[in-house]
Amino acid sequence: MDNNLLTQMVSSPTRGGNVLDLVFTNRSDYVLSVCNEDLGISDHSMVTCTLAFNCMERHERDQREKEEFAALSLSEMDFERANILLGEADWHAMYLLCSQGGNEEFLELV
């Protein structure tokens, strides 16, 4: 999963001696804890994650941003200028930056 910039957070068995229930994230610093608990009502353990942010606040913000984005009109976009900017980008340098762990810098450049 590291090739996809994801980290699997569950480290202890969730069914028998196997880790079958998984939690992936691209921001492991947001995951405060991951716990397994056998509730006795399934052959799988319950996996609980404690996150470092309020999911509902983030969901509401994401919804607002999605609605704002949906209101954009691509009919007014300057496609010629966009093509010029994309053609001038040093994609190889951005790839190298990203592959060396500079993900934040890569996103700023993009």
Side-chain angles (χ1 to χ4, degrees):
M1 289 280 77
D2 289 338
N3 292 341
N4 296 315
L5 304 176
L6 296 174
T7 303
Q8 202 286 104
M9 302 300 295
V10 179
S11 59
S12 56
T14 59
R15 183 176 187 270
N18 302 302
V19 178
L20 298 181
D21 302 281
L22 308 174
V23 174
F24 292 101
T25 182
N26 63 344
R27 294 294 305 263
S28 58
D29 54 317
Y30 283 176
V31 181
L32 298 177
S33 67
V34 177
C35 301
N36 299 10
E37 182 180 357
D38 183 5
L39 299 179
I41 58 174
S42 173
D43 58 346
H44 289 257
S45 297
M46 179 178 72
V47 177
T48 305
C49 298
T50 304
L51 304 176
F53 61 88
N54 183 318
C55 294
M56 291 309 295
E57 287 176 11
R58 184 175 180 137
H59 174 73
E60 291 167 3
R61 185 192 74 223
D62 289 348
Q63 285 301 107
R64 282 193 307 274
E65 289 175 0
K66 186 185 292 184
E67 290 167 7
E68 290 171 8
F69 181 77
L72 295 176
S73 173
L74 293 179
S75 64
E76 299 173 15
M77 182 175 167
D78 184 350
F79 286 99
E80 288 181 33
R81 179 75 180 135
N83 281 332
I84 290 169
L85 292 173
L86 290 170
E88 292 173 350
D90 187 348
W91 295 104
H92 182 70
M94 284 190 250
Y95 169 78
L96 291 175
L97 182 64
C98 185
S99 66
Q100 295 169 357
N103 298 334
E104 297 301 320
E105 293 86 352
F106 175 78
L107 292 175
E108 287 177 23
L109 289 172
V110 174

